[in-house]
Each structure stands twice: as C-alpha cells, then as structure tokens.
Amino acid sequence: MENKKVYTEKQERIARFAKALGHPARIAIMQFLAKQEQCYFGDIHEELPIAKATVSQHLTELKDAGLIQGTIEMPKVRYCINRDNWMLAKMLFQEFFSQEMTKSDCGCSK
C-alpha cells in the first residue's frame, strides 16, 4: 500500500486561490471589481487589453475558485467580488506569509 500524502483543507484552498490569481489579467479583474459594487462583463472588457473571449475565460477561472460571483440579467452577466471568500483568501494568505521561518544555512546565495 502506498503512502499517499494528504493536504489539509487550508492548503487546498490557498492553492486554489493562488492558482486563480496566477495571471496578471485576473489580478487586474479583481482590482477592478474590488472598486465596484457590481459591474457587467462589458465594463470589465473595456478595462483590459484582451479579447472578450479571453476575459470570459479569466472570469470563469475566478468564479470557479469562488473569488467572484455572477448573476445573469439578459443580455448581460453582472459580476462582483464574493466577499466571504475574499476575506477567507485574505486570512489564508496572511496566515501563510506570516509563518516564522527557521534559520538554516542551505547554501543558497541571495
């Protein structure tokens, strides 16, 4: 029987959030949405120098990670920040980056 490593729920969540934020366009989308109560797809497309289809793909990635949410109001979709998951991501990243590092000399140069 193999020893399979199991990741904690926190590790899985922070990795999912990090993956969703792993593209500059998605960071730009999140920054844009953070300044809005809500906005429509067309508004986001006007803010970014990329094709509408590409914006849609980035929105899907952010939505799948739970960082944004959308409602359909034909013919448009309204997107906004998922505030609960925004706060969760903020807490998880703060917790992750505030870890104390042990002092070791691994021979790596700066």
Side-chain angles (χ1 to χ4, degrees):
M1 180 181 257
E2 265 184 57
N3 285 342
K4 186 175 181 180
K5 292 188 178 189
V6 178
Y7 300 106
T8 67
E9 184 177 335
K10 278 186 178 182
Q11 290 168 332
E12 295 279 351
R13 287 302 293 266
I14 195 168
R16 184 65 184 105
F17 289 146
K19 179 181 182 238
L21 294 171
H23 192 285
R26 293 185 210 133
I27 297 294
I29 290 169
M30 293 300 292
Q31 289 174 324
F32 176 73
L33 289 176
K35 296 175 187 173
Q36 314 295 319
E37 283 293 319
Q38 52 200 351
C39 75
Y40 289 102
F41 175 81
D43 295 335
I44 296 169
H45 171 66
E46 291 171 8
E47 292 292 313
L48 299 172
I50 55 179
K52 284 184 181 183
T54 306
V55 170
S56 181
Q57 290 172 345
H58 289 305
L59 289 167
T60 298
E61 185 69 32
L62 292 168
K63 191 172 180 183
D64 289 349
L67 290 171
I68 64 172
Q69 52 198 20
T71 56
I72 298 172
E73 293 179 8
M74 295 308 280
K76 298 182 180 186
V77 180
R78 184 182 358 202
Y79 288 100
C80 60
I81 298 282
N82 180 321
R83 295 189 185 278
D84 290 339
N85 283 340
W86 174 276
M87 296 306 293
L88 175 61
K90 182 178 176 179
M91 187 245 347
L92 289 172
F93 281 114
Q94 284 175 334
E95 198 176 272
F96 177 75
F97 285 113
S98 67
Q99 294 179 84
E100 291 296 323
M101 295 175 49
T102 59
K103 294 181 181 181
S104 67
D105 183 11
C106 65
C108 299
S109 61
K110 295 181 182 178

